[in-house]
Amino acid sequence: MVESVKTVGLSLLMKVTPLFILGLWWVTNKHRPIYLVNFATYKPPQSWKVSQSDVMEIMKRKGCFTEKSLEFMERILANSGTGPSTAWPPGILKLLRRKMEKEEGDEAEGLDVDGEDEGEVTADQTEEGAREEAEAVIYGAVQDVLDKTGVKPKEIDILIINCSLFSPTPSLCAMVAHHFQMRQDVLSFNLAGMGCSAGLVSIDLAKRLLESRPRSRALVVSTENLTQAFYHGNDRAFLLQNTLFRCGGAAVLLSNRVQDGLRAKFKLLHVVRSQVCTLPPSLPPSLP
C-alpha cells in the first residue's frame, strides 16, 4: 500500500514538474503587450502663426542672404506644401516688428511690419529664448495628453524627451519633471542629436523599458527647437531648414497595464531599428 502511494506520488511529480517549469518559463519570457493609451500635439497660439510672405520678410530682414538665396528659398517655400498659417517661435518673429525710440522715460512700443518708424527689433535667438519655446511646446503637449488620459503626473514611471538641436542643462526632462511635480524615482531619458529618427528611437527605448517593468507607464515627448536653429549662410543644402521646419511637438502615453489596454487607441506591435552609420564609406549615413 505504501509502495503504491509512493509510486503514484512520484509519477504525479514527474508529470507536474515539466508543466511547472514550462509555466514558469512562459511567465518570465512572455511578451508584455504595450499600448498607446493616447497622444496629443502642441497647438501654437495665433501670435506664433506666420504666412509664407511673413517668412520671406523674416529672411530679408536677417540681412545675411544673397538675392539668389532669397529667390531659392522663395521657390522652395512656394512648393513646400506649408499652409498660410504655420507656427514659428516668438524669438524669431520679433523680426516682424519695429520699435520706436521715445524720449527718456517713455516705453518702446511695438509696431507692425508696415510702420514707417526706424529701428528694427532683432531676433531673440538666445538660450533663454530657446528654453521659452521648449517650455511652451512641451508643457502644452504634456498637459493635453494628461488631461485626455486622466493620468496624474505622479503616475508616470518613465519620461523620455527627444530634441535634437536644443539640449540644455538642466535637461528638458528635469524641466518637465519639476514643472509637473513628478515622482523622484521617475526614470528620465533626454535624447539629443539623433535627427529625424529620434522619435522612433524614443519609442523603441520606451518599449524596451516597459518590457522589463510590469505595470508601468511611459511618457514620450518628441519636439524640435527652431529658435537657435536658424541658418545664416548661403549654402542651398542648409537653406532648406529655414523654409521647411516649423514649431511643433507631440506627447504619447505608453503603458503595459491591462486596464490601460482596455481604453488604448493603439497597440505597439513592432519597432525595427537599423544603424546605417555602419554602412561602407561609399554609402554615407543619413540617419543616426
Side-chain angles (χ1 to χ4, degrees):
M1 183 68 177
V2 175
E3 288 292 333
S4 177
V5 172
K6 289 183 177 180
T7 303
V8 172
L10 183 61
S11 176
L12 183 62
L13 182 62
M14 292 177 63
K15 292 179 180 179
V16 171
T17 300
L19 293 177
F20 176 77
I21 295 175
L22 182 62
L24 184 62
W25 177 88
W26 182 80
V27 169
T28 56
N29 292 275
K30 72 173 183 176
H31 171 71
R32 290 191 178 92
I34 297 173
Y35 306 99
L36 188 156
V37 183
N38 215 321
F39 67 93
T41 57
Y42 174 65
K43 299 175 180 60
Q46 191 62 35
S47 60
W48 288 30
K49 301 294 183 65
V50 292
S51 64
Q52 292 189 357
S53 60
D54 290 334
V55 173
M56 288 310 303
E57 183 66 27
I58 290 174
M59 302 303 170
K60 294 174 182 177
R61 294 194 175 206
K62 271 293 184 180
C64 58
F65 302 116
T66 64
E67 286 298 323
K68 288 186 177 180
S69 293
L70 290 173
E71 292 174 2
F72 175 74
M73 286 189 286
E74 190 168 16
R75 291 198 306 271
I76 293 296
L77 192 61
N79 295 282
S80 63
T82 56
S85 184
T86 54
W88 269 29
I92 294 180
L93 292 185
K94 287 184 177 181
L95 285 169
L96 287 177
R97 299 197 298 270
R98 295 180 184 273
K99 69 177 181 179
M100 179 178 61
E101 297 290 345
K102 288 189 174 183
E103 295 182 358
E104 186 175 355
D106 289 345
E107 295 181 351
E109 296 182 357
L111 302 178
D112 58 21
V113 175
D114 298 325
E116 296 180 357
D117 297 84
E118 296 181 355
E120 293 189 2
V121 179
T122 58
D124 179 11
Q125 294 183 262
T126 62
E127 181 176 348
E128 187 60 32
R131 184 177 286 275
E132 289 178 2
E133 178 194 349
E135 289 177 348
V137 174
I138 296 175
Y139 292 171
V142 169
Q143 187 62 61
D144 198 2
V145 77
L146 292 178
D147 291 342
K148 284 183 177 180
T149 58
V151 173
K152 298 178 181 178
K154 291 189 181 296
E155 296 175 334
I156 300 297
D157 303 289
I158 302 166
L159 174 63
I160 302 173
I161 300 179
N162 69 264
C163 182
S164 293
L165 300 177
F166 183 58
S167 182
T169 302
S171 69
L172 297 177
C173 282
M175 181 181 77
V176 171
H178 173 74
H179 179 79
F180 289 95
Q181 291 298 290
M182 295 181 175
R183 300 198 318 264
Q184 291 184 347
D185 63 343
V186 62
L187 296 181
S188 61
F189 300 86
N190 205 98
L191 306 184
M194 304 197 77
C196 297
S197 65
L200 292 177
V201 173
S202 297
I203 294 296
D204 179 63
L205 176 59
K207 173 179 177 290
R208 294 171 185 265
L209 292 170
L210 288 172
E211 286 177 341
S212 63
R213 293 175 61 88
R215 297 186 53 77
S216 296
R217 294 187 175 108
L219 178 62
V220 180
V221 182
S222 182
T223 186
E224 199 49 82
N225 194 285
L226 301 185
T227 298
Q228 294 183 316
F230 206 97
Y231 175 64
H232 296 86
N234 289 283
D235 189 323
R236 289 193 172 189
F238 296 107
L239 287 173
L240 293 174
Q241 70 186 52
N242 289 351
T243 55
L244 297 182
F245 297 141
R246 297 293 188 272
C247 290
V252 175
L253 182 65
L254 299 175
S255 175
N256 56 17
R257 298 189 177 193
V258 176
Q259 61 268 36
D260 287 336
L262 299 176
R263 59 179 179 139
K265 288 185 174 294
F266 302 99
K267 180 179 179 180
L268 181 61
L269 298 179
H270 305 287
V271 177
V272 180
R273 288 183 60 188
S274 60
Q275 292 290 343
V276 296
C277 60
T278 60
L279 294 174
S282 58
L283 299 173
S286 58
L287 295 173

